[in-house]
Amino acid sequence: MTAIYFAIRAPTLGSIVGVFLASFPILMSIVFYTTFKESKPPLGDIQVKVGDAIMPITAVYGDGETFRLDDLQGQRILLKFFRGAWCPYCSMELKMFEDMKPIFERFDVKIVALSNDAPMAALKHQQRDQLTHLLLSDPELKVIKQYGVEHHKALGGDGASSLTLFGLPFPTKMKYKPMAIPTSILIDEKGIVRWIDQAEDVRLRASEEKLTAALKDAFTD
């Protein structure tokens, strides 16, 4: 009887990398579906409207110091409520704001972005994405609730356990928790609300064109 032997080659590093790259789109699709299948936040509770005076804000800088909106009295502001450092859509939007910096400077508008991330997570977010905006922490959601932009129970991650791929964060741990509904509020130098934009779907945000049009409409005589 003749014995027949089969040689089984051990997988090479190249073949492992190839399999990973081939399956990566599928893995990312699963992550996106799991993370953002509940993509429509509850709207309708916002407590300010165009023409209102802005409400006082007290939050925390990344270094733990206290921020008060009065510190920016007389300054035009785009106040951005966002979900957190772990959200890739929020990351893309804040990076877009960074790319639009010359436009914001032309209209003398300062970006103030706020989430319920811990102060240290906000600081790491700023460093990770190389943002020059003012990133604030509202860990107890006091400001978020005051403005009526709380998503009471949404599936999300946290900045500390996010994995960065292709320059974007992806949460590795998920749980239901309260967070901000993505909301942009444009405020003039007198503290009056001039424009509001809320995301009806957390995956969709105002484009550069829409935001530029809002700036021109609010601040061009």
Side-chain angles (χ1 to χ4, degrees), residues 146-221:
Q146 177 188 8
Y147 275 75
V149 294
E150 180 187 7
H151 194 161
H152 302 281
K153 187 179 180 182
L155 188 62
D158 65 78
S161 61
S162 295
L163 177 67
T164 301
L165 295 170
F166 301 110
L168 292 174
F170 293 93
T172 56
K173 296 179 182 178
M174 304 291 293
K175 65 178 181 179
Y176 284 97
K177 63 177 187 176
M179 64 185 68
I181 296 170
T183 305
S184 300
I185 302 176
L186 190 59
I187 306 160
D188 68 17
E189 62 273 19
K190 297 179 181 178
I192 304 300
V193 175
R194 301 296 298 272
W195 177 77
I196 298 174
D197 181 74
Q198 276 198 304
E200 296 182 359
D201 185 315
V202 300
R203 298 166 297 183
L204 304 175
R205 310 296 172 87
S207 65
E208 179 177 340
E209 292 74 20
K210 183 177 181 179
L211 189 48
T212 301
L215 290 167
K216 289 180 178 179
D217 185 60
F219 302 127
T220 302
D221 297 329

Side-chain angles (χ1 to χ4, degrees), residues 78 92-109 111 131-133 195 206-216:
L78 179 66
M92 287 189 290
E93 183 178 34
L94 291 174
K95 287 181 178 181
M96 181 188 76
F97 291 172
E98 194 69 36
D99 293 338
M100 291 179 64
K101 190 173 181 178
I103 298 174
F104 285 116
E105 289 179 343
R106 175 156 43 106
F107 290 98
D108 193 26
V109 173
I111 305 294
L131 302 175
T132 58
H133 323 315
W195 177 77
S207 65
E208 179 177 340
E209 292 74 20
K210 183 177 181 179
L211 189 48
T212 301
L215 290 167
K216 289 180 178 179

Side-chain angles (χ1 to χ4, degrees), residues 45-189:
D45 292 332
I46 189 166
Q47 297 298 302
V48 293
K49 63 182 183 298
V50 173
D52 284 354
I54 202 68
M55 293 184 285
I57 292 176
T58 301
V60 184
Y61 289 105
D63 62 4
E65 293 296 317
T66 299
F67 165 87
R68 291 180 177 83
L69 191 61
D70 289 346
D71 297 342
L72 299 179
Q73 189 171 11
Q75 171 72 58
R76 293 173 177 173
I77 297 168
L78 179 66
L79 175 61
K80 180 68 201 183
F81 292 95
F82 69 102
R83 288 156 61 87
W86 53 270
C87 174
Y89 299 104
C90 299
S91 178
M92 287 189 290
E93 183 178 34
L94 291 174
K95 287 181 178 181
M96 181 188 76
F97 291 172
E98 194 69 36
D99 293 338
M100 291 179 64
K101 190 173 181 178
I103 298 174
F104 285 116
E105 289 179 343
R106 175 156 43 106
F107 290 98
D108 193 26
V109 173
K110 185 177 184 64
I111 305 294
V112 177
L114 182 147
S115 76
N116 66 322
D117 283 340
M120 184 56 67
L123 183 60
K124 289 182 178 179
H125 179 190
Q126 192 157 30
Q127 295 169 346
R128 181 196 72 201
D129 290 352
Q130 299 180 342
L131 302 175
T132 58
H133 323 315
L134 185 57
L135 257 60
L136 299 175
S137 172
D138 181 27
E140 297 180 5
L141 293 96
K142 291 181 179 179
V143 179
I144 292 168
K145 291 178 179 178
Q146 177 188 8
Y147 275 75
V149 294
E150 180 187 7
H151 194 161
H152 302 281
K153 187 179 180 182
L155 188 62
D158 65 78
S161 61
S162 295
L163 177 67
T164 301
L165 295 170
F166 301 110
L168 292 174
F170 293 93
T172 56
K173 296 179 182 178
M174 304 291 293
K175 65 178 181 179
Y176 284 97
K177 63 177 187 176
M179 64 185 68
I181 296 170
T183 305
S184 300
I185 302 176
L186 190 59
I187 306 160
D188 68 17
E189 62 273 19

